[in-house]
Every structure is written in C-alpha cells, then in structure tokens.
C-alpha cells in the first residue's frame, strides 16, 4: 500500500486549512451583512443584537491574531454602550439601571475591556471606562453562592483599579527614592484606600466561600487562576500612585503568582492542537488566563530569579488569551529584562535559572537600579503579526523620552531552561 510522504501530508493540511479559512470568511461577511439593518435601527432589541455580534467579532479576531481589528470591534461596542446606557462624568461612563440581559452584555464588554486595558496599563492613554451606578452595585456578601459571583466582583474591583491608574497617569509621580516611594499625594489616595479595602473584603468572602465553591469547579485550576488575578490586582492597586520603587515591596506577592502559575502547569492539559504558526489553539481562549500575571511579574519584579522563572513558565506554552499572545509577550518580557538587566543571557551559575520553584528565603533584594528600570512600555499590536513587533519604552527617571526598539518574534532566544514537565 502506498503511503503519503511528509510533504504530501503537509500539502493536504494546508489545503484543508485554506478551505476552513474561506468558509469562515464567507460566513463572517454574511454575518456582517445581516447585521447592517440592526446598526441603523434604534430599538433596544436591535441594539442588543448589534452588541452581541460585536462581542463575537471581537473574540473571533483575537483568536485569529488580528489584534488591531479586534480592538476596533471592541471600541465600537464600548461606544454603543456609552451612547445607549451611559452618562459620562469626569471621563468615566456611569451605566444607568439595566435589566439582566443588558447587564450581562455590559459585563461581557467589561471583561474584554479589562484584558485590553491590562495590556496597555503601563503607559498613559485615554480610554472609556464603564462603571455601574453605585445604586445598582451589588451589596457586600458574606459568601459567594457561585464562582461566577466571585469572578464578577473581582472584575468590578479590578476595573476600578484600572480607572484609578488611568487617573494617576495624569498626575506627576516623582521617581526619586523618597520614604514613601514617590507616592502621589492627591485626592486619589482615598479612592486607592477604598479599593484596597474592597480587595480585602473580597478575599475574606472568597476564603469563607471556598468550601462550597470547591464542589462547583476543579479546585486546583480555578483557585490558582482566581488567586493569581487577585494577587495581581493587589499589586497594581498598591502601586497605582507610586513610582517603580514601590514594586520592590511586593516580592512575596510576585512569588505567589508564579507559585499559582506552577500549579496551573501541573494540571493535565487536553491534547495539543497547533495551527501552522505553532499556536496551541486548543488552549487559546478569549478570557483571563495566566499570561497577564506572569507578564507583570517579569517586567515589574526586579528579583532576577522570580522574574526569570515567570518568563520560563510562559515560554512553556504557546497559546493566546484575547489580546495576550504567549509568543509576543514572552519576547517583550525578554527584551525588557535584557534592557534592565544586561546579564540576563550571561552566566547563570548562581542558580537563577534553577528548575526549582524559587522560595522567599535567600532571594535577596531587587537587583535592578532605578536608573535602569523601565517605567512605561508600549507595544504596537497589529493584525497578523509574524516577524517582529515594535516596542516603545520610557526609563523610570524623569525626564525620560520614548525610546523605540524592534523585537524579533522568529529568532530563537538565547538561554532558558527546560522546566520539569514542560508542555511540548
């Protein structure tokens, strides 16, 4: 019996992939055509259809790697929400009272928006922020009846933290090593304290709810994921009005993030399905995953062994989480670490590249001086990025202008280790 060689198999695979792409684009175009009447009709049912379609298009383009197009869809949906349900006040859109369907649609856009805002959080930019009217915000709870409620409340707090940091960018924050780490003394401090109290209350409620939530979802994976994002939220809230020096006080929290992420790696993944670019599409999602916490650990924790381990964890998989792409973000993380710590690719004889999960004892102090730290990072996400990505950055010391560097996505990286049980 004759057998096909590798080239023939690859040819068939490429042909099938092209047919699937053509089928998807045909139906995508048809969906957009059918959507047009709803965009010109002002009745609520048509508005809801348009918003749901917009959310679906956003997810589809993120999964396809068309990051710029996806963000355009998301921005258009946010504008429709703003015009339909919102009252703008001081740069924030306060959502009026809505029914259950409208609230679900709004929460979907907020969750997508949080992902994108987290991506751009390290530099000053304007953005639409959707917030519920205080009269419609959920009251404090003693327990979360379902995991969805725990996630929703954490999302609400996270979104407010993003709004706080966006406002903080408008204030001048000194970069010097003052006793308060360059804290911005402004009217934003009470809001920061309120959000820190909300995070503490959330953690208390979640802890008391865990006994009955554990039977609802796989305990290890869900707990590791939600606690990783809670920890990231606590770090971002605490440092929102401070200079880069403030991150040095959060080594224990950064270490917790990589510990939670290591737990996620040990969970048994489904069989790997990769596309032609090598992405693991079976693991790709349009929701929160482990990339943002690991990314911020690598770029904001200046303890070399902790940030290097975060990088190595991320490099052990290849998938997308909305706008967050493992391949792109791992290359950005390496570039940031290379700029801040030029010895990253040098001799790791001191044990920084150990296969053992770092422990707090013996880690030492952050090793990157203030003048070498990056304060703002901006990454240009376009459609179908395959060869390189442009990264701009500002140093932590004022005044500092933007510097621009091209980050290659195809060249093999230097160094790195094989973590135990690496997903191949």
């Amino acid at each position: 019996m004759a057998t096909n060689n590798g080239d023939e198999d690859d040819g068939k695979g490429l042909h099938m992939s092209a047919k699937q792409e053509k089928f998807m684009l045909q139906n995508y175009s048809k969906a957009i055509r059918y959507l047009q009447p709803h965009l010109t009709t002002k009745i609520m049912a048509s508005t809801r259809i348009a918003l749901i379609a917009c959310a679906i298009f956003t997810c589809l383009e993120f999964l396809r790697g068309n990051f710029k197009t996806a963000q355009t869809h998301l921005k258009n949906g946010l504008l429709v929400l703003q015009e339909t349900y919102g009252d703008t006040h001081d740069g924030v859109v306060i959502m009026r009272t809505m029914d259950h369907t409208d609230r679900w649609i709004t929460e979907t856009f907020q969750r997508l928006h949080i992902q994108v805002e987290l991506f751009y959080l390290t530099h000053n930019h304007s953005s639409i922020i959707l917030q519920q009217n205080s009269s419609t915000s959920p009251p404090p709870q003693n327990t979360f009846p379902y995991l969805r409620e725990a996630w929703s409340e954490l999302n609400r707090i996270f979104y407010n933290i993003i709004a706080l940091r966006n406002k903080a960018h408008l204030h001048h924050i000194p970069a010097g090593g003052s006793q308060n780490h360059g804290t911005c003394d402004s009217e934003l401090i009470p809001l920061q304290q309120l959000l820190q109290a909300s995070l503490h209350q959330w953690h208390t409620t979640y802890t008391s709810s865990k006994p009955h939530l554990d039977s609802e979802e796989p305990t290890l994976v869900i707990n590791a994921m939600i606690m990783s994002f809670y920890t990231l939220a606590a770090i971002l809230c605490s440092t929102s009005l401070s200079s880069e020096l403030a991150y040095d006080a959060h080594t224990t929290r950064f270490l917790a993030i990589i510990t939670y992420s290591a737990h996620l790696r040990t969970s048994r993944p489904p069989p790997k399905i990769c596309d032609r670019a090598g992405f693991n599409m079976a693991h790709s999602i349009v929701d929160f995953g482990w990339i943002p916490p690991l990314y911020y650990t690598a770029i904001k924790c200046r303890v070399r062994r902790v940030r290097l381990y975060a990088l190595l964890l991320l490099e052990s998989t290849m998938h997308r989480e909305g706008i967050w792409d493992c391949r792109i973000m791992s290359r950005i993380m390496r570039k940031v670490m290379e700029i801040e710590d030029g010895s990253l690719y040098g001799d790791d004889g001191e044990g920084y590249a150990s296969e053992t999960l770092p422990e707090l004892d013996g880690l030492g102090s952050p090793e990157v001086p203030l003048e070498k730290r990056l304060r703002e990072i901006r990454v240009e996400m376009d459609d179908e990025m395959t060869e390189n990505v442009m990264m701009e950055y500002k140093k932590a010391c004022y005044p500092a202008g933007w510097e621009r560097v091209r980050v290659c996505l195809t060249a093999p990286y230097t160094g790195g280790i094989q973590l135990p049980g690496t997903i191949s």
Side-chain angles (χ1 to χ4, degrees):
M1 180 181 294
T3 57
N4 293 327
N5 59 33
D7 291 339
E8 291 172 338
D9 288 339
D10 184 61
K12 287 184 177 180
L14 292 176
H15 179 66
M16 180 61 68
S17 178
K19 288 181 62 177
Q20 292 174 343
E21 180 78 2
K22 180 180 178 181
F23 176 80
M24 187 275 296
L25 289 174
Q26 287 175 338
N27 286 276
Y28 192 5
S29 299
K30 188 182 297 185
I32 293 176
R33 187 169 66 252
Y34 288 155
L35 183 62
Q36 295 303 315
H38 295 287
L39 297 175
T40 57
T41 304
K42 297 301 182 180
I43 63 174
M44 188 56 66
S46 291
T47 300
R48 289 169 175 167
I49 291 172
L51 286 169
I52 293 171
C54 188
I56 293 172
F57 293 160
T58 301
C59 296
L60 178 63
E61 295 295 1
F62 274 140
L63 289 174
R64 297 181 66 214
N66 292 332
F67 305 108
K68 188 174 183 179
T69 301
Q71 292 176 81
T72 299
H73 284 310
L74 177 59
K75 182 179 179 180
N76 291 336
L78 292 171
L79 289 173
V80 172
L81 281 171
Q82 179 182 11
E83 294 170 359
T84 306
Y85 303 106
D87 295 314
T88 303
H89 175 70
D90 194 23
V92 176
V93 180
I94 307 299
M95 307 303 290
R96 294 187 290 269
T97 302
M98 300 174 291
D99 65 14
H100 180 76
T101 301
D102 295 328
R103 186 171 291 111
W104 175 83
I105 292 173
T106 302
E107 288 179 357
T108 299
F109 275 94
Q110 285 180 324
R111 199 167 175 92
L112 289 169
H113 195 208
I114 289 174
Q115 289 182 297
V116 174
E117 283 297 293
L118 268 176
F119 185 87
Y120 292 107
L121 199 59
T122 57
H123 70 88
N124 189 7
H125 66 288
S126 60
S127 176
I128 297 173
I129 296 294
L130 307 177
Q131 292 183 341
Q132 286 188 352
N133 189 311
S134 58
S135 63
T136 64
S137 299
Q141 304 178 68
N142 294 323
T143 60
F144 294 119
Y146 301 103
L147 195 63
R148 182 182 181 278
E149 279 70 22
W151 267 117
S152 295
E153 178 62 10
L154 184 59
N155 289 345
R156 185 187 68 81
I157 299 172
F158 217 138
Y159 209 49
N160 284 315
I161 292 171
I162 289 172
L164 171 65
R165 291 183 68 99
N166 285 347
K167 292 178 182 178
H169 278 305
L170 301 177
H171 293 253
H172 177 75
I173 301 174
S178 60
Q179 186 176 4
N180 64 354
H181 298 295
T183 299
C184 176
D185 186 14
S186 72
E187 68 278 5
L188 298 180
I189 293 177
L191 177 56
Q192 180 191 40
Q193 294 171 339
L194 177 62
L195 290 173
Q196 288 175 317
S198 296
L199 280 173
H200 177 75
Q201 178 60 46
W202 180 92
H203 185 257
T204 300
T205 305
Y206 177 72
T207 301
S208 63
S209 304
K210 273 191 90 297
H212 71 264
L213 292 179
D214 285 349
S215 61
E216 182 186 351
E217 297 283 353
T219 305
L220 180 65
V221 174
I222 297 301
N223 182 64
M225 186 69 71
I226 199 169
M227 286 303 299
S228 183
F229 267 86
Y230 159 76
T231 307
L232 176 60
I235 294 171
L236 294 179
C237 185
S238 179
T239 58
S240 56
L241 307 182
S242 308
S243 75
E244 288 298 309
L245 292 173
Y247 291 99
D248 294 353
H250 296 277
T251 300
T252 301
R253 283 173 167 164
F254 284 123
L255 187 58
I257 286 176
I258 65 170
T259 301
Y260 291 131
S261 299
H263 288 324
L264 290 172
R265 280 191 72 259
T266 60
S267 62
R268 299 187 61 173
K272 181 177 177 182
I273 302 174
C274 294
D275 64 10
R276 283 175 291 171
F279 291 106
N280 187 348
M281 300 310 295
H283 286 174
S284 293
I285 57 176
V286 189
D287 204 349
F288 295 132
W290 75 346
I291 302 179
L294 288 175
Y295 172 76
Y296 277 98
T297 298
I299 68 171
K300 294 301 184 183
C301 178
R302 273 73 181 208
V303 177
R304 188 189 304 179
R305 189 175 172 195
V306 174
R307 70 190 319 195
L308 181 58
Y309 203 94
L311 171 66
L312 298 173
L313 279 170
L314 190 58
E315 288 179 341
S316 68
T317 58
M318 188 65 71
H319 67 281
R320 295 190 183 108
E321 298 166 3
I323 195 173
W324 297 85
D325 182 294
C326 268
R327 178 187 59 159
I328 295 172
M329 301 322 299
S330 63
R331 298 307 172 111
I332 295 297
M333 290 156 66
R334 279 193 171 269
K335 179 57 67 174
V336 171
M337 294 163 66
E338 180 184 356
I339 294 171
E340 290 192 344
D341 183 358
S343 63
L344 171 64
Y345 301 109
D347 181 16
D348 277 320
E350 298 179 63
Y352 292 127
S354 170
E355 295 183 4
T356 305
L357 189 69
E359 297 180 357
L360 188 61
D361 292 341
L363 281 180
S365 302
E367 304 165 14
V368 180
L370 178 63
E371 62 270 16
K372 294 189 67 175
R373 299 186 185 194
L374 305 189
R375 171 169 51 94
E376 296 189 52
I377 300 169
R378 183 163 58 199
V379 181
E380 296 180 6
M381 296 295 282
D382 212 331
D383 290 347
E384 299 181 355
M385 302 170 65
T386 56
E387 299 295 328
N388 53 66
V389 59
M390 295 304 302
M391 184 186 94
E392 295 179 305
Y393 62 89
K394 284 184 180 180
K395 292 291 183 65
C397 290
Y398 287 85
W402 287 103
E403 299 184 48
R404 190 175 177 89
V405 63
R406 188 181 299 274
V407 180
C408 181
L409 302 178
T410 56
Y413 57 81
T414 306
I417 62 169
Q418 187 84 352
L419 292 167
T422 294
I423 303 171
S424 59

